Amino acid sequence: MNIIVVKDYDAMSKEAFKIMKAVVTDKKDAVLGLATGSTPIGLYKEMIADCKAGGASYKDVRAFNLDEYVGLDYSSDQSYVYFMRANLFDHIDIKLENTNIENGKAADAEAECARYNALLAANTIDLQILGIGSNGHIAFNEPGTPFASVTHVVDLTENTIKDNSRLFKSIDEVPRKAFTMGLSNIMAAKKIVIMANGANKAKAVYGLVRGEVTEDVPASILQNHADCTLICDEAAASLL
Ligand code: PGA
């Protein structure tokens, strides 16, 4: 794993953007794997500023998001489909029809997972952006998720519900289930950038980089990826 430790969140976002820009400049129709959460917002701001200034174009880029809450769709501002439009897609030249995410309101969850897996099988991701949960999850693959997993519905752990409740009016409003790409879908990406900032991520970052490769720490699977870069701030790197 390549490891880049920088001073702060801003520097982390800029480092990630350098890799993003190289990928989408090199391949106009790149396939991006994108993430939600606080971590990638700075990267998305860099992409927006650059695109608005006439830099990289995303008009032929396709995007696949990692996960979505079961029961939420664009009509909820807590949904990840809403997040992606508000924080990125509505501000760059990507075509909305080229953006993909699990449908949180799908009537048949199993069919929705099969639909998403078929799409992923047909589209190799050139660059996958990831954050990491304080419990070592990537996407919503919580500790104990099989490494061979593909897109599935998960019961969110109490830890994740608590972490994510900061974005909801109350903890009771946090959905208890989510669709998520599986760990083997994520590992199929050609290149992965995982970002982490803040002291509350230090233990997870240690598990990601130095811990045993174990399903108890889902992110540890990335030690087996041929082209994975961790970009983190000093606080998140403090246990390395
Ligand atoms: P965060 O979430 O970016 O909001 O910290 C990361 C994650 O849970 O994967």
Side-chain angles (χ1 to χ4, degrees), residues 214-228:
T214 164
E215 290 176 352
D216 295 339
V217 184
S220 67
I221 194 177
L222 299 175
Q223 291 178 32
N224 294 336
H225 195 277
D227 185 359
C228 178

Side-chain angles (χ1 to χ4, degrees), residues 14-107:
K14 289 192 160 73
E15 281 299 323
F17 176 66
K18 280 189 210 160
I19 298 174
M20 171 63 71
K21 179 138 182 178
V23 168
V24 297
T25 302
D26 192 48
K27 190 174 175 192
K28 301 284 174 217
D29 58 351
V31 180
L32 301 179
L34 298 176
T36 51
S38 312
T39 308
I41 289 178
L43 163 64
Y44 297 160
K45 285 192 171 141
E46 296 288 328
M47 291 165 69
I48 292 166
D50 170 75
C51 185
K52 281 193 194 301
S57 168
Y58 300 83
K59 75 179 175 40
D60 296 319
V61 162
R62 280 164 304 140
F64 290 85
N65 261 82
L66 290 169
D67 44 18
E68 178 63 284
Y69 288 118
V70 168
L72 301 192
D73 66 7
Y74 187 70
S75 63
S76 163
D77 60 6
Q78 305 291 353
S79 68
Y80 287 168
V81 64
Y82 186 99
F83 175 103
M84 288 309 300
R85 285 186 57 174
N87 288 289
L88 183 64
F89 297 153
D90 286 348
H91 311 290
I92 60 174
D93 60 349
I94 197 167
K95 298 185 181 98
L96 276 185
E97 66 263 30
N98 287 345
T99 66
N100 300 274
I101 189 165
E102 298 95 330
N103 173 11
K105 284 239 168 110

Side-chain angles (χ1 to χ4, degrees), residues 9 35-41 66-67 80 83 130-140 142 159-160 163-164 166-167 194-197 200-201:
Y9 182 86
T36 51
S38 312
T39 308
I41 289 178
L66 290 169
D67 44 18
Y80 287 168
F83 175 103
L130 294 175
I132 184 169
S134 63
N135 64 357
H137 75 204
I138 46 175
F140 273 135
E142 301 284 26
N159 183 86
T160 297
D163 279 357
N164 290 5
R166 71 186 193 280
L167 305 166
I194 182 163
M195 291 181 280
N197 67 286
N200 68 321
K201 299 289 174 75

